[in-house]
Every structure is written in C-alpha cells, then in structure tokens.
Amino acid sequence: MGNAVRPALITMRILVISDIHANLTAFEAVVKAAGKVDAVWCLGDLVGYGPDPNECIALLRSLPEMTCLLGNHDAAALGEIDLAAFNREASLSSQWTRATLTPANMAYLRSLPEKLFIGQVTLAHGSPRNPVWEYLLDTITAASNFDFFETHLCFVGHTHLPVAFIMDEKTHYVDWRLMRQSKPFTFGGRTIINPGSVGQPRDRDPRAAYAIFYPEQNLWEPYRAEYDIPSVQKRIMNAELPLRHALRLAEGW
Ligand code: ZN
C-alpha cells in the first residue's frame, strides 16, 4: 500500500491545484515543478490575499485542458457576498482585488461553476454539500458530506490543508490522513481529498502545495514546491495589502 509502481505505459497526469490566492510566484513554481500535464483542475480561490490576481488568472487560462471552480474569495471579489463574512484583513484585500481586477478577468470569475463532475470525480471548492463555503476540517463534517456526492472521489480545497478523508467500505467509518510530500496515495474506499494551497499553505510548511492525479492508476501524488517568498511579501507590501498576509507566507499559516 502506498508504494504503487507506476506502469511504463503512458498515462494521464492531471495537475490538481487550489487556493492560488493571487500568488504568482508560488503558482509559477508549481507549474514548473509539475512539468508536462494532460489537464489542470483548479478548485477555486484564484484571488484574494495576494498581489497578482490578473497575472494568476492569465497563467491559469494558458494551461492545457484547464477546468476551474469558483471559490469564496472569487465570489467576494465579484461582490457576490457580504464582506461581513470575512475578517477585517480579508475584507480589505477583497476590496483591493475588486478594484484591481480587469473587467475581462471579472467576467472570467463570474463564469466559473460552483461544482463539477468529471468521470468518477466530483470537484468543489469547500465541500460537496456547500461548495463555496463549508470547511472540511474534521472527520464528522467530512463524514456527513459523503451523502452529497455520487462519485467515488471528491476533490476539494478551501482549508489550505493537504488531507484525505477516507470512508471504510464496510463500516462507513471515516478516517483522515495528512498528505505528505512524495508519499503516493492509492485510492481505496470513497475519498474526499484536498491538494492543499498553492498560494497560502496553512499546514506550517510554507512551500506551495499541489498534487498529481493519475485516474487510470487511482493514484494521487502530493507535492510541495519551494518559491521566492520574500519577493511576494514585497509585492504585498508595495500594494499596501494587509501586512498579516505577507507575514503568514513565511510560516505557512
Ligand atoms: Zn482559500
């Protein structure tokens, strides 16, 4: 278990990313480290917190076979939600993002779906039950979400934590597991899994998080990519965005 041997034949590699949060340097590092992929699935929150919303949308849209969902920060930048739902710093960064996004990129965010099904996978930003807003931070919340999707797998973002929630086929008991860099994970029972965050990791590892999904092999490979954090912190401060969002990048919270 866990050490699946990759067959020699050519197989589909899908880059799974989430929560880029307008951090272009982290996003570029992930795209480079991932190498050639056949498709890109992005689970939302392209913008918010970071200094490069337009540049991140441009890079995302240049990627092959790209699919992207709407996240809560994307909805906030569109003015579709009440900013009272955010803390003060998140609200300030959302207002800055709204003022900075080009009309074309606003229209792009507006076009994003809240939930998608691709083959045996459901995609949602937060959870299958409440795709834009719900946080899956514990096994009880995760367990109650297995009734809200039909597919074998569900990929989510939103918590910025690379974790898997796995349902035992017989007992329906749900366990969880933290995804560690370079430990391949073979899907068994129904699973809800999160690739972690590209632009603002919160598991105390400041490196950008992403995953490669091999649908034919039922395999998930979690990865981390180092990037130039001080350059992003400088751009956050130059843009007069809240200092807290610069500081946290270095520590991964
Ligand atoms: Zn987020």
Side-chain angles (χ1 to χ4, degrees):
M1 270 298 284
N3 285 323
V5 176
R6 192 103 53 75
L9 52 107
I10 294 167
T11 58
M12 189 147 171
R13 298 178 86 234
I14 299 170
L15 171 62
V16 185
I17 49 177
S18 192
D19 299 275
I20 296 166
H21 283 296
N23 183 338
L24 182 66
T25 313
F27 189 18
E28 285 173 340
V30 163
V31 169
K32 187 162 178 240
K36 196 179 174 317
V37 295
D38 301 291
V40 178
W41 296 355
C42 174
L43 308 173
D45 274 5
L46 300 177
V47 303
Y49 298 126
D52 320 304
N54 291 308
E55 294 80 358
C56 285
I57 293 173
L59 175 56
L60 183 76
R61 297 187 73 181
S62 75
L63 299 176
E65 297 297 321
M66 192 276 294
T67 296
C68 187
L69 297 176
L70 181 81
N72 56 315
H73 283 261
D74 306 318
L78 291 170
E80 285 177 3
I81 60 149
D82 184 357
L83 287 178
F86 279 178
N87 65 39
R88 189 174 162 273
E89 281 107 341
S91 168
L92 284 172
S93 101
S94 185
Q95 287 165 34
W96 179 91
T97 302
R98 202 184 304 183
T100 304
L101 280 169
T102 65
N105 284 335
M106 283 283 220
Y108 177 68
L109 291 184
R110 207 167 286 122
S111 75
L112 299 177
E114 291 189 359
K115 201 160 149 180
L116 274 175
F117 312 95
I118 308 178
Q120 262 314 294
V121 187
T122 298
L123 308 179
H125 177 64
S127 77
R129 174 167 55 195
N130 184 349
V132 179
W133 280 101
E134 188 176 28
Y135 289 90
L136 297 183
L137 285 164
D138 59 79
T139 52
I140 294 171
T141 314
S144 59
N145 262 279
F146 277 86
D147 290 337
F148 291 83
F149 66 103
E150 315 258 292
T151 53
H152 198 65
L153 305 177
C154 177
F155 297 173
V156 297
H158 197 39
T159 63
H160 299 207
L161 301 170
V163 297
F165 296 98
I166 306 136
M167 179 175 268
D168 185 277
E169 309 255 296
K170 291 197 189 87
T171 62
H172 286 193
Y173 178 78
V174 173
D175 204 354
W176 72 283
R177 193 180 302 183
L178 192 64
M179 294 287 115
R180 295 263 178 223
Q181 153 97 339
S182 70
K183 278 240 167 134
F185 174 72
T186 304
F187 293 109
R190 293 184 74 209
T191 302
I192 300 175
I193 197 164
N194 188 324
S197 167
V198 171
Q200 195 195 79
R202 293 182 189 162
D203 59 347
R204 296 276 165 190
D205 179 344
R207 296 175 298 169
Y210 67 99
I212 304 288
F213 172 49
Y214 297 87
E216 293 101 331
Q217 281 74 36
N218 227 2
L219 188 71
W220 176 274
E221 288 180 344
Y223 286 103
R224 303 306 280 247
E226 292 202 27
Y227 71 97
D228 182 1
I229 292 172
S231 73
V232 183
Q233 293 177 313
K234 205 176 285 176
R235 290 202 301 282
I236 288 177
M237 288 188 282
N238 288 345
E240 296 181 359
L241 281 159
L243 185 63
R244 175 187 163 89
H245 299 147
L247 297 176
R248 65 192 303 173
L249 293 181
E251 318 251 327
W253 53 273

